Amino acid sequence: MKQPVNVSIDGSLQNGSGKGKSPGTGSGSGSAVNRPKPPGRTKHLLTLVIILLLLWASAKQTDASFSELFEGLPNMLDLLREMFPPRWSYFDNIVQGMLETIRMALIGTTIGAIIAIPVSIICAGNLMPSRWIYYPARFVLNLIRTVPDLLLAALFVAVFGLGPIPGILALAVFSVGLIAKLTYETLETIDQGPLEAMTAVGMNRIQLIVYGVVPQLAAQFTSYVLYAFEINVRAAAILGLVGAGGIGLYYEATLGFLEYDKTSVIILFTLVIVLIIDYVSTKLREKLL
């Protein structure tokens, strides 16, 4: 007759006679489990040496040195002295330029977000049946993100002329690359259970996206759009340097005439606007997520 086996508080096995043995120490068990050893001091030291060598090689190739930095500090201090105190009387001249910058960022972000919706769906591997579709789409998306927004603005200025239209188009293209990238990566992590259930009852692909994908993605997508809008406000502030409208035109004018006290007014005004937009966007994202 078999004796009953009890489990003690410490996890050891006991038979009816009270004699126990720890788990994994029976006759049929193997040797003790080998736990991975933490990385030794030599590995940390070697990693530090490699990082320092990479930094040294990069500084050597770019002709960067601390001596040049220290030699340039007096010039930086002279520039700061010329920027302060700001010429606050110039504030009235830049209000319209800042409003145009915000409008450019708003329109460019909206256009980019609308275009990013189908682009992100095409790039998502779990929604597209063939890799011959989403791999080329991802390549085009990477190509879009490779081109800087300032270069895009310069190209659109050459095509459409001076004004806010080239800036809006540049911000729209930049927004497509940013929002679509973040969105399709989120699409590939959504819960597949609702999609499989909808497929089982005969829903088509459009119905799957509307009823299965959109509810899971709406909050994150809105957060990405707000994030892109924050970046575009900052980017739109310098697009005027290539003639794409906005507050950047005033940057170019004041810097060109060495009126650094006026430039400091533009910088401070832009800082306040960016902080307000960042605060509002953060609160909205907290509500959504």
Side-chain angles (χ1 to χ4, degrees):
M1 181 176 180
K2 296 183 179 180
Q3 295 180 348
V5 177
N6 300 323
V7 181
S8 64
I9 296 178
D10 61 355
S12 61
L13 302 180
Q14 294 183 344
N15 54 21
S17 61
K19 297 180 180 180
K21 56 183 179 179
S22 300
T25 58
S27 58
S29 62
S31 60
V33 178
N34 294 324
R35 300 191 179 190
K37 296 181 179 180
R41 184 177 301 177
T42 305
K43 183 178 180 180
H44 291 303
L45 182 61
L46 183 61
T47 303
L48 179 61
V49 170
I50 293 174
I51 293 174
L52 293 176
L53 287 176
L54 289 175
L55 291 175
W56 176 81
S58 300
K60 189 72 173 176
Q61 293 296 324
T62 56
D63 294 329
S65 64
F66 286 104
S67 61
E68 293 182 359
L69 176 62
F70 292 134
E71 290 174 2
L73 284 178
N75 296 330
M76 296 173 62
L77 295 176
D78 292 338
L79 178 61
L80 291 175
R81 278 194 292 266
E82 293 181 14
M83 295 180 69
F84 290 94
R87 190 182 301 181
W88 296 111
S89 59
Y90 190 66
F91 180 79
D92 293 337
N93 299 330
I94 62 176
V95 173
Q96 291 300 321
M98 180 57 70
L99 292 177
E100 183 177 337
T101 297
I102 296 174
R103 288 191 289 263
M104 288 169 54
L106 181 61
I107 297 174
T109 306
T110 302
I111 296 174
I114 294 173
I115 299 175
I117 294 174
V119 173
S120 60
I121 293 174
I122 294 174
C123 292
N126 58 338
L127 298 180
M128 286 294 104
S130 174
R131 65 181 59 188
W132 294 102
I133 298 176
Y134 61 82
Y135 274 149
R138 292 181 183 181
F139 174 79
V140 174
L141 199 60
N142 291 330
L143 184 62
I144 291 174
R145 295 201 317 277
T146 302
V147 184
D149 49 1
L150 198 60
L151 178 57
L152 287 171
L155 294 175
F156 285 126
V157 165
V159 176
F160 297 100
L162 301 175
I165 297 299
I168 292 173
L169 294 176
L171 294 176
V173 174
F174 172 77
S175 299
V176 170
L178 176 63
I179 298 174
K181 167 71 173 178
L182 296 174
T183 304
Y184 92 73
E185 289 181 346
T186 305
L187 277 173
E188 293 184 337
T189 63
I190 62 174
D191 186 8
Q192 296 293 323
L195 302 183
E196 295 174 355
M198 293 177 186
T199 303
V201 298
M203 285 190 175
N204 56 37
R205 190 168 296 275
I206 296 178
Q207 291 173 324
L208 288 178
I209 294 173
V210 173
Y211 298 107
V213 175
V214 172
Q216 299 187 60
L217 193 67
Q220 288 88 344
F221 180 78
T222 305
S223 176
Y224 299 151
V225 173
L226 292 173
Y227 176 63
F229 177 65
E230 295 175 26
I231 296 177
N232 285 339
V233 171
R234 297 178 177 90
I238 62 171
L239 293 184
L241 295 176
V242 294
I247 198 69
L249 295 174
Y250 297 89
Y251 275 116
E252 183 180 18
T254 56
L255 291 173
F257 289 102
L258 305 181
E259 297 175 324
Y260 298 118
D261 52 350
K262 294 182 179 179
T263 305
S264 64
V265 176
I266 303 174
I267 293 174
L268 293 174
F269 188 26
T270 305
L271 175 63
V272 171
I273 295 298
V274 168
L275 289 176
I276 292 174
I277 293 175
D278 182 70
Y279 176 78
V280 174
S281 299
T282 301
K283 292 301 180 182
L284 288 176
R285 282 197 294 267
E286 289 177 356
K287 295 291 184 181
L288 292 171
L289 301 177

